[in-house]
Amino acid sequence: MKATLSQIEAFYWITRLGSFRAAAMQLNLTQPTVSLRIHNLEESLGVRLFKRAGRKMRLTDDGTTLLPDVGSMMQLAGQISARQRLVDPLHGRLRLGAPASIALGCMAELLGTLEKRDARFDVALTIEKSSILQRRLNEREIDVAIVVEPDVKPHVRVAPLGIMKHAWFASPRLSLARRWIGPADLMPHQVFTQPEPSNLMTLVMTWFGSAGLEPKRLGTCDSISVIARLTAAGEGVSILSPAILGTELCLGKVEMLKTRPTLVRPRLYLAYQADKVGHGMKLVIQAIRDCVIGSSLLARR
Amino acid sequence: MKATLSQIEAFYWITRLGSFRAAAMQLNLTQPTVSLRIHNLEESLGVRLFKRAGRKMRLTDDGTTLLPDVGSMMQLAGQISARQRLVDPLHGRLRLGAPASIALGCMAELLGTLEKRDARFDVALTIEKSSILQRRLNEREIDVAIVVEPDVKPHVRVAPLGIMKHAWFASPRLSLARRWIGPADLMPHQVFTQPEPSNLMTLVMTWFGSAGLEPKRLGTCDSISVIARLTAAGEGVSILSPAILGTELCLGKVEMLKTRPTLVRPRLYLAYQADKVGHGMKLVIQAIRDCVIGSSLLARR
DNA sequence: TTTCATATATAGGGAAATCCTATCATTCAA
DNA sequence: TTGAATGATAGGATTTCCCTATATATGAAA
């Protein structure tokens, strides 16, 4: 077996921080994993590196001998992987925007994915409606954003992500899920959606309009998650993305309605500053793609 | 993703040897694997390191920039893993002994295993009968040997490996495999074994002796593999280890006989110089254990 | 040009390593 | 003696890694 960088890295941090646990924290690993790495390193070098001293570990002579070389190695490794960061326009801070409907469905996963792929940023999140995000992109106040049907200046590049999935949802107490539902069937119910101008409102009005109707009781709320809560509580019906109702759907607190006509399906896009494209941006874009596709935000093509 | 030592190593050897292929050879890998390592390295650094130049690859500017650091890194890695070799009593050369019956069954695998575990030695093989190996161990002319029932000086350490499996074998043309065979049944046949003193001869004589008989036609040959060949050719019957007849058994050129009484089963031991124990020796011992157990030399306990 | 030889890329499946959770063992301090 | 802190170990799930087979691209030879 051969020594690997991750083993050496574990050794380095243990000696710097004084304990296996602390090294594990530093490396975003668990303590057993660090133990294992050291075990394997000792195995491959054929030398014991630590000995127990009370409840701490102390370096053996062989371990101490190794120390300077390990230090140089970590420094070199740092140099090698840090080099491109100097020229990466997106270094340090990532200003990321998304509409609430998207953010609720996949933002947690997205941040986790970036972390896991060692794309560390100080993230500045902007959760706003697409129209506002678009304006802030145009004014270069955001690096990347997920938006619906954008119309942006030339310095902002746009790439399609897919077609969003939406549906009408209602509490099972309203007993609406068993049969096909049309605009006339929802007329007696309180409808919740976001205030104008918003994609959700457009969706609602278009759907009712297709039957020449308008919803009779139309409530608005600018927070998607509050709309979801109200719907689950049986206070009304709403158009939402299934992705943000994962828990409620599993628990049976809301039901997806089978509606006719079908809802218009808005297109989802990725928009980003052209002059910030570099390694960091590519990582972010790929992570967003993976997470959006991995979520249930999109209609299967 | 993070750069790993193996990626850097691949990069290093490509630049030194001028092609992916040559680097793959050097590293005992296949060319696609080297391609993949470079691909991942480029991915994790966010930089292209090679560009096509005709059917060769040429370093990009970014690749060239990386070169000195990679060189230092390889040198450090070499230092770190070479350090313990200076104090390892078993460095460079491994004088290894085994009886032919064992060597035929597992020596090829053993050398492969050592290679795979990065335990590189100039191997000096001694294929001799156990009694001779034992003498050469006592005279410190061999570092490690696999032997049967050893009796050695104190500077040679001994550890049990298991109980050897043996059986009578014959060509199917002799039609001996269908029923239980006793000493009387083999009396009319030519028996091949090794000349005195040898474990095989003892096995043969003990087996016949248990019925108060002696083989009538007893041929001897000091090469186990020749005995195997003669047996497969139908020239006689012999006691052998199934491990060295793998191919012939598969092809149906020899058959294992069901014999009564059961053959005596000799114990197999590992013997090695006590003053050569270090990391290298431990690797060798473990490799021998793994290979002997992995072969069909031993009776299942 | 066509064909062959050389060099790298890609796909996919199987083997091996890696890592995590849960649990245990030891030490030290309250 | 108990509780808190530190490592070790076991088992299982995931991920990575590497190989075979095949495709692509280039240059040389027929």
Side-chain angles (χ1 to χ4, degrees):
Chain A
M1 195 185 297
K2 253 176 184 167
T4 70
L5 256 190
S6 44
Q7 288 162 9
I8 289 171
E9 188 182 39
F11 177 82
Y12 174 79
W13 283 110
I14 293 170
T15 57
R16 275 201 69 182
L17 302 178
S19 87
F20 283 43
R21 290 191 105 74
M25 302 270 278
Q26 168 69 29
L27 294 167
N28 287 320
L29 295 171
T30 58
Q31 166 267 317
T33 300
V34 171
S35 278
L36 186 66
R37 285 189 178 177
I38 293 305
H39 188 83
N40 289 338
L41 181 61
E42 291 180 329
E43 188 93 343
S44 75
L45 295 181
V47 158
R48 286 204 63 75
L49 298 171
F50 293 96
K51 60 189 170 207
R52 297 204 76 111
R55 63 184 177 189
K56 292 255 176 186
M57 301 295 271
R58 186 167 301 161
L59 271 176
T60 61
D61 289 350
D62 286 322
T64 312
T65 312
L66 215 58
L67 213 41
D69 280 348
V70 165
S72 324
M73 186 136 234
M74 289 304 293
Q75 194 175 346
L76 268 177
Q79 275 178 39
I80 288 178
S81 46
R83 198 186 302 286
Q84 94 286 353
R85 278 181 210 150
L86 295 177
V87 297
D88 192 335
L90 196 70
H91 61 277
R93 191 178 56 154
L94 170 66
R95 299 171 303 173
L96 177 60
S101 52
I102 309 293
L104 286 171
C106 74
M107 186 56 71
E109 196 199 352
L110 174 56
L111 296 184
T113 302
L114 286 172
E115 187 91 355
K116 209 171 72 183
R117 297 183 184 174
D118 275 307
R120 302 272 158 77
F121 296 100
D122 296 333
V123 176
L125 275 184
T126 303
I127 310 298
E128 289 284 3
K129 286 185 291 188
S130 277
S131 53
I132 302 207
L133 291 174
Q134 181 178 316
R135 201 175 66 226
R136 303 194 59 177
L137 277 164
N138 285 336
E139 286 162 11
R140 299 185 195 264
E141 294 171 0
I142 289 181
D143 300 315
V144 202
I146 303 172
V147 288
V148 181
E149 312 278 4
D151 174 23
V152 291
K153 292 194 181 169
H155 67 78
V156 178
R157 276 194 211 149
V158 163
L161 278 174
I163 297 178
M164 284 197 73
K165 205 193 314 183
H166 278 105
W168 280 100
F169 287 91
S171 161
R173 277 188 281 155
L174 304 184
S175 307
L176 288 166
R178 294 192 196 129
R179 53 198 184 78
W180 288 97
I181 300 288
D185 302 307
L186 289 190
M187 287 297 286
H189 292 277
Q190 171 77 278
V191 171
F192 279 109
T193 189
Q194 284 187 301
E196 287 278 17
S198 74
N199 283 292
L200 277 190
M201 177 63 88
T202 312
L203 277 178
V204 169
M205 298 311 284
T206 311
W207 189 72
F208 277 98
S210 68
L213 298 172
E214 278 196 7
K216 214 168 223 159
R217 299 164 57 207
L218 184 60
T220 65
C221 168
D222 48 16
S223 159
I224 290 275
S225 49
V226 171
I227 294 179
R229 183 68 56 90
L230 294 174
T231 307
E235 296 299 323
V237 299
S238 58
I239 294 181
L240 291 170
S241 163
I244 68 173
L245 287 170
T247 325
E248 287 81 356
L249 278 169
C250 282
L251 297 175
K253 298 178 76 175
V254 294
E255 295 175 322
M256 192 187 298
L257 309 187
K258 298 180 294 185
T259 50
R260 288 227 163 96
T262 315
L263 287 167
V264 172
R265 301 188 303 175
R267 286 169 185 282
L268 206 58
Y269 291 84
L270 194 53
Y272 52 95
Q273 304 294 339
D275 57 2
K276 294 269 181 137
V277 174
H279 185 233
M281 181 63 87
K282 283 178 190 157
L283 281 180
V284 171
I285 290 178
Q286 193 54 49
I288 291 178
R289 279 196 190 287
D290 294 346
C291 289
V292 168
I293 290 169
S295 74
S296 40
L297 286 166
L298 300 187
R300 67 195 173 291
R301 52 174 83 200
Chain B
M1 196 186 298
K2 253 177 184 166
T4 70
L5 255 190
S6 45
Q7 289 162 8
I8 289 171
E9 188 182 41
F11 177 82
Y12 174 80
W13 283 109
I14 293 170
T15 55
R16 274 201 71 182
L17 302 177
S19 87
F20 283 43
R21 220 161 244 295
M25 301 271 277
Q26 168 70 30
L27 294 168
N28 287 318
L29 294 172
T30 58
Q31 166 268 315
T33 299
V34 172
S35 278
L36 185 67
R37 285 189 178 178
I38 293 305
H39 188 82
N40 289 338
L41 182 60
E42 291 180 329
E43 187 93 347
S44 74
L45 294 183
V47 158
R48 286 205 64 74
L49 299 171
F50 293 96
K51 59 188 169 207
R52 297 205 78 109
R55 63 184 177 189
K56 291 258 177 184
M57 300 296 269
R58 186 168 301 163
L59 271 176
T60 60
D61 289 350
D62 286 322
T64 313
T65 311
L66 214 58
L67 212 42
D69 281 348
V70 165
S72 324
M73 188 131 222
M74 289 304 292
Q75 194 175 346
L76 267 178
Q79 275 178 38
I80 288 178
S81 48
R83 196 187 304 285
Q84 95 285 356
R85 276 179 211 151
L86 296 176
V87 297
D88 193 337
L90 196 71
H91 61 276
R93 192 179 55 154
L94 170 66
R95 299 171 303 173
L96 177 60
S101 51
I102 309 294
L104 286 171
C106 74
M107 187 57 71
E109 195 199 354
L110 174 57
L111 297 184
T113 302
L114 285 173
E115 187 91 357
K116 207 171 73 182
R117 298 183 185 176
D118 276 307
R120 302 273 157 76
F121 296 100
D122 297 334
V123 175
L125 275 184
T126 304
I127 309 298
E128 288 285 3
K129 285 184 293 189
S130 276
S131 52
I132 304 212
L133 291 175
Q134 183 177 319
R135 201 174 66 225
R136 302 193 62 177
L137 278 164
N138 284 335
E139 286 162 9
R140 301 184 193 263
E141 293 170 1
I142 289 180
D143 299 316
V144 201
I146 303 171
V147 289
V148 180
E149 312 278 2
D151 174 22
V152 291
K153 292 193 180 169
H155 66 78
V156 178
R157 276 193 214 153
V158 162
L161 278 174
I163 297 178
M164 284 197 71
K165 204 191 321 184
H166 278 104
W168 280 99
F169 287 91
S171 161
R173 278 188 281 154
L174 304 185
S175 306
L176 288 166
R178 290 186 204 137
R179 52 196 185 78
W180 287 97
I181 299 290
D185 302 305
L186 289 189
M187 287 300 284
H189 292 277
Q190 171 75 275
V191 171
F192 279 111
T193 189
Q194 284 187 303
E196 288 276 20
S198 73
N199 281 294
L200 277 190
M201 178 61 90
T202 311
L203 277 178
V204 169
M205 299 311 284
T206 312
W207 190 73
F208 276 99
S210 68
L213 299 171
E214 278 196 7
K216 214 166 222 161
R217 300 162 57 207
L218 184 61
T220 65
C221 168
D222 48 16
S223 160
I224 290 274
S225 50
V226 171
I227 293 178
R229 184 70 57 89
L230 293 173
T231 306
E235 295 298 324
V237 298
S238 58
I239 294 181
L240 291 170
S241 164
I244 67 174
L245 286 169
T247 326
E248 288 82 355
L249 278 169
C250 284
L251 297 175
K253 298 177 77 175
V254 294
E255 295 175 323
M256 191 188 299
L257 308 188
K258 295 179 296 185
T259 50
R260 290 228 162 97
T262 315
L263 288 166
V264 170
R265 300 189 304 176
R267 285 168 185 282
L268 206 58
Y269 291 84
L270 195 54
Y272 52 95
Q273 303 294 339
D275 57 3
K276 294 270 181 131
V277 173
H279 185 233
M281 180 63 88
K282 283 178 190 159
L283 280 179
V284 170
I285 290 177
Q286 193 54 49
I288 291 179
R289 280 195 190 287
D290 293 346
C291 289
V292 167
I293 289 170
S295 75
S296 40
L297 286 166
L298 299 187
R300 67 196 175 290
R301 56 174 77 196

